[in-house]
Amino acid sequence: MQIDRGSYTDARTPWEDADWRAEALTWLDTQLAEVGVEETGPRRVRLRPWSVIVRVEAARPVWFKANPPGSAFEPALMARLAELVPEHVLTPYAVDVGRAWSLSPDGGGLLRDVERTAETWETLLSQYAELQRKLADHVDELIGLGVPDARLAKLPDIFDRAVTANQTLTAEQREVLHKLRPQLVDWCAELATFGIPDTLDHADLHENQVFACDRFTFFDWGDATVSHAFCSLLVPLQRIGTDHARLRDAYLAPWTDDGHALADLRRAAHLAWRLGPLGRAASWGRLFPGAYNTPIGDAGIAEALLGLLEPARI
């Protein structure tokens, strides 16, 4: 097997535990036999502080993933999304909810590997909005699966806990963030007045998390939260860098079907952009226990919190 640790050469994951590794590979072998996968090459293992992934070479590659406790909900979420919105996600071959393992088919070429025009992003964001709208009636169920609850009413508490616990922030940065809190509360209150439902927020939606073959397929839900729908706009628009207004409106268009005025939706998107970094702050804590010998998660949380201070670009 080929082992890829990327830049995380000192990362500690369950893969280093021989008993865990044997158990995981036995489960993988059993599931491959059940779905009739014939391997055609060596397995490739990708170790990161937030996941263990094994790529199985076959006529159509197959992917094993192990999640840390902080995102242990992902296999159960994947299975339920395949039932609720099968046109938008992969259907896993198998999941082990108790051990946070999953086995999934390959979704084809990634969005990062194809030409990406403004029209491409318009279509993608519109389809993603449709996924979110379909899931809005299932938020209690998703939270019951373990998806973190980051609904508007929860965000001030999430902010408080993150700022208080973080050891990377300087005293000056912490003071600035504390002064921001009343405004953050006001953003939450105003955003709630528009009546946009909470739903599933991928929280890390970019070109590496979308398959782009016959249709757009969204995957890698380990950073997900249940939050205000529009918080999802932060990451893709930051990554795209241009055409923010155009792409924002493409995403907002499906929500006008619910009777919302576009001007109100634009204001709501502006507020959600300001609050979006809290989703990123929450996701940075989802690492394997003792995964790294430096405070990688703490630093990521601090960076996300400081993003609350940046002006919205929409």
Side-chain angles (χ1 to χ4, degrees), residues 238-270:
Q238 283 181 328
R239 298 281 290 234
I240 296 165
T242 60
D243 294 318
H244 285 168
R246 174 181 176 179
L247 298 178
R248 172 204 62 196
D249 286 354
Y251 169 81
L252 295 176
W255 299 95
T256 63
D257 293 343
D258 298 327
H260 298 289
L262 183 57
D264 289 342
L265 295 174
R266 287 171 173 167
R267 175 59 182 170
H270 175 89

Short mmCIF file of all heavy atoms in Angstrom, two decimals, residues 238-270:
data_model
loop_
_atom_site.label_atom_id
_atom_site.label_comp_id
_atom_site.label_asym_id
_atom_site.label_seq_id
_atom_site.Cartn_x
_atom_site.Cartn_y
_atom_site.Cartn_z
N GLN A 238 -15.67 32.89 -1.57
CA GLN A 238 -14.28 33.23 -1.25
C GLN A 238 -13.33 32.55 -2.22
O GLN A 238 -12.34 33.14 -2.67
CB GLN A 238 -13.95 32.81 0.18
CG GLN A 238 -14.47 33.74 1.25
CD GLN A 238 -14.08 33.28 2.64
OE1 GLN A 238 -13.95 32.09 2.91
NE2 GLN A 238 -13.89 34.23 3.54
N ARG A 239 -13.62 31.30 -2.56
CA ARG A 239 -12.73 30.55 -3.45
C ARG A 239 -12.82 31.06 -4.89
O ARG A 239 -11.83 31.10 -5.61
CB ARG A 239 -13.09 29.06 -3.41
CG ARG A 239 -12.92 28.40 -2.06
CD ARG A 239 -11.49 28.06 -1.78
NE ARG A 239 -10.99 27.00 -2.59
CZ ARG A 239 -10.41 25.90 -2.12
NH1 ARG A 239 -10.29 25.74 -0.81
NH2 ARG A 239 -9.93 24.97 -2.93
N ILE A 240 -14.02 31.43 -5.31
CA ILE A 240 -14.21 31.88 -6.69
C ILE A 240 -13.55 33.24 -6.90
O ILE A 240 -12.87 33.48 -7.90
CB ILE A 240 -15.71 31.93 -7.04
CG1 ILE A 240 -16.31 30.53 -6.98
CG2 ILE A 240 -15.91 32.53 -8.43
CD1 ILE A 240 -17.82 30.50 -6.94
N GLY A 241 -13.76 34.16 -5.98
CA GLY A 241 -13.04 35.42 -6.01
C GLY A 241 -13.66 36.52 -6.84
O GLY A 241 -13.42 37.69 -6.60
N THR A 242 -14.44 36.19 -7.86
CA THR A 242 -15.05 37.21 -8.72
C THR A 242 -16.52 36.87 -8.96
O THR A 242 -16.99 35.79 -8.60
CB THR A 242 -14.33 37.30 -10.07
OG1 THR A 242 -14.42 36.01 -10.72
CG2 THR A 242 -12.87 37.67 -9.89
N ASP A 243 -17.24 37.80 -9.60
CA ASP A 243 -18.65 37.61 -9.95
C ASP A 243 -19.50 37.30 -8.71
O ASP A 243 -20.48 36.56 -8.79
CB ASP A 243 -18.83 36.48 -10.97
CG ASP A 243 -18.22 36.80 -12.32
OD1 ASP A 243 -18.39 37.95 -12.77
OD2 ASP A 243 -17.58 35.92 -12.91
N HIS A 244 -19.15 37.88 -7.58
CA HIS A 244 -19.86 37.56 -6.35
C HIS A 244 -21.35 37.85 -6.46
O HIS A 244 -22.18 37.04 -6.06
CB HIS A 244 -19.25 38.31 -5.17
CG HIS A 244 -17.95 37.74 -4.73
ND1 HIS A 244 -17.11 38.39 -3.86
CD2 HIS A 244 -17.32 36.57 -5.03
CE1 HIS A 244 -16.04 37.66 -3.62
NE2 HIS A 244 -16.14 36.56 -4.33
N ALA A 245 -21.70 39.03 -6.96
CA ALA A 245 -23.11 39.40 -7.02
C ALA A 245 -23.88 38.48 -7.96
O ALA A 245 -24.99 38.03 -7.65
CB ALA A 245 -23.24 40.85 -7.47
N ARG A 246 -23.29 38.19 -9.09
CA ARG A 246 -23.95 37.32 -10.07
C ARG A 246 -24.17 35.92 -9.50
O ARG A 246 -25.27 35.35 -9.63
CB ARG A 246 -23.09 37.24 -11.34
CG ARG A 246 -23.58 36.25 -12.38
CD ARG A 246 -22.64 36.24 -13.58
NE ARG A 246 -23.03 35.23 -14.56
CZ ARG A 246 -22.40 35.03 -15.71
NH1 ARG A 246 -21.34 35.77 -16.02
NH2 ARG A 246 -22.80 34.09 -16.54
N LEU A 247 -23.16 35.36 -8.87
CA LEU A 247 -23.26 34.00 -8.35
C LEU A 247 -24.14 33.96 -7.11
O LEU A 247 -24.88 32.99 -6.90
CB LEU A 247 -21.88 33.46 -8.07
CG LEU A 247 -20.98 33.36 -9.30
CD1 LEU A 247 -19.60 32.84 -8.94
CD2 LEU A 247 -21.61 32.48 -10.38
N ARG A 248 -24.09 35.01 -6.31
CA ARG A 248 -25.01 35.10 -5.17
C ARG A 248 -26.45 35.02 -5.66
O ARG A 248 -27.27 34.27 -5.12
CB ARG A 248 -24.78 36.41 -4.43
CG ARG A 248 -25.81 36.72 -3.33
CD ARG A 248 -25.88 38.21 -3.06
NE ARG A 248 -26.30 38.96 -4.24
CZ ARG A 248 -26.15 40.27 -4.41
NH1 ARG A 248 -25.57 40.98 -3.47
NH2 ARG A 248 -26.58 40.86 -5.51
N ASP A 249 -26.77 35.79 -6.69
CA ASP A 249 -28.15 35.82 -7.18
C ASP A 249 -28.56 34.49 -7.81
O ASP A 249 -29.73 34.09 -7.73
CB ASP A 249 -28.33 36.95 -8.18
CG ASP A 249 -28.36 38.32 -7.51
OD1 ASP A 249 -28.36 38.37 -6.25
OD2 ASP A 249 -28.38 39.34 -8.23
N ALA A 250 -27.62 33.78 -8.43
CA ALA A 250 -27.93 32.45 -8.97
C ALA A 250 -28.30 31.50 -7.84
O ALA A 250 -29.23 30.69 -7.97
CB ALA A 250 -26.74 31.91 -9.76
N TYR A 251 -27.58 31.59 -6.74
CA TYR A 251 -27.90 30.77 -5.57
C TYR A 251 -29.24 31.18 -4.96
O TYR A 251 -30.02 30.33 -4.52
CB TYR A 251 -26.78 30.91 -4.54
CG TYR A 251 -27.13 30.32 -3.19
CD1 TYR A 251 -27.01 28.95 -2.95
CD2 TYR A 251 -27.57 31.13 -2.14
CE1 TYR A 251 -27.34 28.41 -1.72
CE2 TYR A 251 -27.89 30.60 -0.91
CZ TYR A 251 -27.77 29.23 -0.70
OH TYR A 251 -28.10 28.69 0.51
N LEU A 252 -29.51 32.47 -4.92
CA LEU A 252 -30.73 32.96 -4.27
C LEU A 252 -31.99 32.71 -5.10
O LEU A 252 -33.10 32.64 -4.54
CB LEU A 252 -30.61 34.46 -3.99
CG LEU A 252 -29.53 34.88 -2.99
CD1 LEU A 252 -29.48 36.40 -2.89
CD2 LEU A 252 -29.77 34.26 -1.62
N ALA A 253 -31.85 32.57 -6.41
CA ALA A 253 -33.02 32.46 -7.28
C ALA A 253 -34.00 31.37 -6.83
O ALA A 253 -35.22 31.62 -6.80
CB ALA A 253 -32.57 32.24 -8.72
N PRO A 254 -33.56 30.15 -6.50
CA PRO A 254 -34.55 29.15 -6.07
C PRO A 254 -35.33 29.55 -4.83
O PRO A 254 -36.48 29.12 -4.65
CB PRO A 254 -33.68 27.91 -5.81
CG PRO A 254 -32.47 28.09 -6.66
CD PRO A 254 -32.21 29.57 -6.62
N TRP A 255 -34.73 30.38 -3.97
CA TRP A 255 -35.43 30.77 -2.76
C TRP A 255 -36.55 31.76 -3.03
O TRP A 255 -37.44 31.93 -2.18
CB TRP A 255 -34.43 31.36 -1.76
CG TRP A 255 -33.35 30.39 -1.36
CD1 TRP A 255 -32.12 30.28 -1.92
CD2 TRP A 255 -33.42 29.38 -0.36
NE1 TRP A 255 -31.41 29.26 -1.32
CE2 TRP A 255 -32.17 28.70 -0.36
CE3 TRP A 255 -34.41 29.00 0.57
CZ2 TRP A 255 -31.90 27.66 0.52
CZ3 TRP A 255 -34.13 27.96 1.45
CH2 TRP A 255 -32.89 27.30 1.42
N THR A 256 -36.54 32.41 -4.18
CA THR A 256 -37.65 33.31 -4.51
C THR A 256 -38.94 32.52 -4.75
O THR A 256 -40.04 33.09 -4.68
CB THR A 256 -37.34 34.16 -5.75
OG1 THR A 256 -37.16 33.32 -6.89
CG2 THR A 256 -36.08 35.00 -5.53
N ASP A 257 -38.82 31.22 -5.03
CA ASP A 257 -40.01 30.39 -5.22
C ASP A 257 -40.83 30.27 -3.95
O ASP A 257 -42.00 29.90 -3.99
CB ASP A 257 -39.61 28.98 -5.68
CG ASP A 257 -38.99 28.97 -7.08
OD1 ASP A 257 -39.16 29.96 -7.81
OD2 ASP A 257 -38.34 27.97 -7.43
N ASP A 258 -40.21 30.59 -2.81
CA ASP A 258 -40.92 30.55 -1.53
C ASP A 258 -41.55 31.89 -1.19
O ASP A 258 -42.02 32.09 -0.06
CB ASP A 258 -39.95 30.14 -0.41
CG ASP A 258 -39.37 28.75 -0.63
OD1 ASP A 258 -40.07 27.91 -1.20
OD2 ASP A 258 -38.20 28.53 -0.24
N GLY A 259 -41.54 32.82 -2.15
CA GLY A 259 -42.19 34.10 -1.95
C GLY A 259 -41.32 35.19 -1.38
O GLY A 259 -41.82 36.27 -1.05
N HIS A 260 -40.03 34.94 -1.26
CA HIS A 260 -39.13 35.95 -0.72
C HIS A 260 -38.72 36.93 -1.82
O HIS A 260 -38.42 36.54 -2.94
CB HIS A 260 -37.87 35.28 -0.16
CG HIS A 260 -38.14 34.34 0.97
ND1 HIS A 260 -38.53 34.76 2.22
CD2 HIS A 260 -38.07 32.97 1.04
CE1 HIS A 260 -38.69 33.72 3.02
NE2 HIS A 260 -38.41 32.62 2.32
N ALA A 261 -38.69 38.21 -1.47
CA ALA A 261 -38.23 39.23 -2.40
C ALA A 261 -36.72 39.14 -2.54
O ALA A 261 -36.01 38.90 -1.57
CB ALA A 261 -38.63 40.62 -1.91
N LEU A 262 -36.22 39.36 -3.77
CA LEU A 262 -34.80 39.24 -4.01
C LEU A 262 -34.00 40.22 -3.16
O LEU A 262 -32.92 39.89 -2.65
CB LEU A 262 -34.49 39.44 -5.50
CG LEU A 262 -33.02 39.26 -5.91
CD1 LEU A 262 -32.50 37.88 -5.52
CD2 LEU A 262 -32.86 39.50 -7.41
N ALA A 263 -34.52 41.42 -2.97
CA ALA A 263 -33.81 42.42 -2.16
C ALA A 263 -33.63 41.91 -0.72
O ALA A 263 -32.57 42.10 -0.11
CB ALA A 263 -34.55 43.75 -2.16
N ASP A 264 -34.66 41.27 -0.17
CA ASP A 264 -34.56 40.71 1.18
C ASP A 264 -33.55 39.57 1.22
O ASP A 264 -32.77 39.44 2.17
CB ASP A 264 -35.92 40.21 1.64
CG ASP A 264 -36.90 41.33 1.94
OD1 ASP A 264 -36.45 42.48 2.12
OD2 ASP A 264 -38.11 41.06 1.99
N LEU A 265 -33.56 38.74 0.19
CA LEU A 265 -32.63 37.63 0.14
C LEU A 265 -31.18 38.12 0.06
O LEU A 265 -30.28 37.53 0.68
CB LEU A 265 -32.94 36.72 -1.05
CG LEU A 265 -34.29 35.99 -1.00
CD1 LEU A 265 -34.53 35.23 -2.31
CD2 LEU A 265 -34.34 35.02 0.18
N ARG A 266 -30.98 39.19 -0.67
CA ARG A 266 -29.62 39.74 -0.77
C ARG A 266 -29.15 40.25 0.59
O ARG A 266 -27.99 40.07 0.96
CB ARG A 266 -29.59 40.87 -1.80
CG ARG A 266 -29.67 40.38 -3.25
CD ARG A 266 -29.85 41.52 -4.21
NE ARG A 266 -29.78 41.08 -5.60
CZ ARG A 266 -30.14 41.83 -6.64
NH1 ARG A 266 -30.60 43.07 -6.44
NH2 ARG A 266 -30.04 41.35 -7.87
N ARG A 267 -30.02 40.92 1.31
CA ARG A 267 -29.65 41.39 2.65
C ARG A 267 -29.37 40.20 3.57
O ARG A 267 -28.39 40.20 4.33
CB ARG A 267 -30.76 42.25 3.24
CG ARG A 267 -30.53 42.69 4.69
CD ARG A 267 -29.26 43.49 4.85
NE ARG A 267 -29.04 43.87 6.26
CZ ARG A 267 -27.92 44.40 6.72
NH1 ARG A 267 -26.89 44.62 5.92
NH2 ARG A 267 -27.81 44.70 8.00
N ALA A 268 -30.19 39.17 3.47
CA ALA A 268 -29.97 37.98 4.29
C ALA A 268 -28.64 37.32 3.95
O ALA A 268 -27.92 36.86 4.84
CB ALA A 268 -31.12 37.00 4.09
N ALA A 269 -28.30 37.27 2.66
CA ALA A 269 -27.03 36.67 2.26
C ALA A 269 -25.85 37.47 2.81
O ALA A 269 -24.83 36.90 3.20
CB ALA A 269 -26.96 36.59 0.73
N HIS A 270 -26.00 38.79 2.82
CA HIS A 270 -24.95 39.64 3.38
C HIS A 270 -24.72 39.32 4.86
O HIS A 270 -23.57 39.17 5.31
CB HIS A 270 -25.35 41.11 3.22
CG HIS A 270 -24.40 42.08 3.87
ND1 HIS A 270 -23.31 42.60 3.22
CD2 HIS A 270 -24.41 42.62 5.12
CE1 HIS A 270 -22.67 43.41 4.03
NE2 HIS A 270 -23.31 43.46 5.19
#
